[in-house]
Amino acid sequence: MGSRNLTIKMTFNITPSWKKKLNDELEKPYFKDLLKFVEAEYEKSDCFPKPENIFKAFELSPFEETRVVIIGQDPYHGYNQAHGLCFSVQPETRVPPSLVNIFREIKDDLGSPLPPHGNLKHWAEQGVLMLNATLTVRAGQAGSHQGKGWEKFTDAVIQILSEEKENLVFLLWGSPAQKKGKKINTEKHLVLTSGHPSPLAANRGYWFGNKHFSKTNEFLVSVGKEPIEW
C-alpha cells in the first residue's frame, strides 16, 4: 500500500529561508483547511508523494539559492513515481514520456547524453525550484486534489519569488503553467515559454527546439550566476 496512516503534520520540512518567507501564508485559514483535507486524504486513501516528500522542492531549493523555477501541474499519480519535484520520478521508475522529451531536448540543445533515470534531484540541488501547482494527488486519480487550496499556496510562492528576487529564470511549459505565471514581473526576470513536453504537444511541434536549457544558462551567466548542469 501507499502512505496510509501517515500524517504530514510531522514532516513539514522546508528550509528556514522558505519558512520565513511563507510563514504568513502558512497561518492563513485556507492553508490550515488544506492541510486538514490532505491529512484526511492520506489517512483514508493512497496518495502521492509520500508525506515527507510533499514539500521536497522547498527542502532542496532554499529561497536564497533558487535561480530557476519550473512550474508543473499535478504530481504523478502512479505508484513509485512522484517524490515532490515536478516532472521528476524516483530513480527505479520508468522515465515518463514528458520527461523523455525533456531529456531529448536537452540532448539536442546542449549535446548532453541521455541520463539513465528520471530523478531530477540534482537540478533541485542547484537551485532549480521544481514546483507543481498542486502538491498532492490521490493514487490513480489525476487532479483529485485540485481546487482545495494548493493553487492559492503555489500562486503565493510564485508571487514572493517574483517580487523579492531578481534575475530568476521561469520555465513555463504549456498553457496551464503560462497562466499560472502570468503575474511574474518580466522586467526583473527571464520568462521562457513553450508548449508542454508531453507527446501530444511535442509531436505537434510545440516543444522540440525551444532551447530553453541553453537560454537559461546563457542568461544566468550574463547576470553573474553559475549555469545549471542539466
Side-chain angles (χ1 to χ4, degrees):
M1 300 301 290
S3 49
R4 287 184 186 174
N5 300 319
L6 298 175
T7 173
I8 66 170
K9 286 183 179 178
M10 304 297 294
T11 53
F12 192 77
N13 45 351
I14 63 177
T15 60
S17 59
W18 272 118
K19 183 69 166 62
K20 182 177 179 180
K21 296 296 181 182
L22 295 172
N23 193 54
D24 289 346
E25 204 67 25
L26 302 180
E27 294 300 320
K28 291 181 178 179
Y30 89 87
F31 191 80
K32 293 182 177 181
D33 289 343
L34 168 64
L35 290 188
K36 290 177 183 177
F37 164 78
V38 172
E39 185 177 9
E41 282 285 288
Y42 273 68
E43 287 176 351
K44 70 182 181 182
S45 305
D46 285 347
C47 297
F48 306 121
K50 291 182 179 179
E52 63 268 25
N53 290 332
I54 292 173
F55 299 99
K56 182 64 71 173
F58 301 95
E59 179 184 342
L60 295 178
S61 303
F63 179 83
E64 69 276 10
E65 296 178 15
T66 296
R67 296 182 283 156
V68 179
V69 182
I70 301 177
I71 299 177
Q73 297 176 41
D74 241 17
Y76 296 113
H77 54 82
Y79 287 89
N80 301 315
Q81 290 184 303
H83 63 115
L85 307 177
C86 69
F87 292 104
S88 180
V89 291
Q90 298 180 48
E92 67 277 9
T93 304
R94 183 178 66 87
V95 180
S98 291
L99 187 52
V100 169
N101 287 337
I102 290 173
F103 287 158
R104 282 182 56 191
E105 177 59 25
I106 292 173
K107 183 177 185 293
D108 292 344
D109 187 12
L110 300 175
S112 304
L114 295 174
H117 58 75
N119 190 320
L120 305 180
K121 180 181 177 182
H122 63 291
W123 292 7
E125 292 173 336
Q126 296 176 75
V128 180
L129 182 69
M130 305 172 68
L131 183 67
N132 275 317
T134 304
L135 299 191
T136 57
V137 69
R138 197 180 303 154
Q141 299 182 42
S144 51
H145 289 182
Q146 291 178 2
K148 303 298 183 180
W150 280 129
E151 296 89 345
K152 188 172 182 178
F153 172 71
T154 51
D155 281 347
V157 171
I158 294 167
Q159 182 178 355
I160 290 169
L161 287 164
S162 178
E163 292 179 353
E164 299 192 24
K165 290 184 74 74
E166 294 182 353
N167 296 323
L168 295 177
V169 182
F170 288 87
L171 302 179
L172 309 181
W173 300 333
S175 58
Q178 290 161 29
K179 290 176 182 176
K180 193 164 184 67
K182 65 183 178 181
K183 294 183 179 179
I184 296 167
N185 187 339
T186 56
E187 295 182 0
K188 293 174 59 181
H189 308 288
L190 177 64
V191 177
L192 299 176
T193 63
S194 79
H196 195 272
S198 66
L200 183 63
N203 294 337
R204 291 178 175 176
Y206 300 132
W207 166 255
F208 292 115
N210 64 30
K211 298 190 180 297
H212 279 190
F213 304 96
S214 61
K215 289 177 180 177
T216 294
N217 282 350
E218 288 166 4
F219 177 81
L220 291 174
V221 170
S222 76
V223 296
K225 297 181 181 182
E226 290 292 319
I228 304 296
E229 292 184 13
W230 301 106

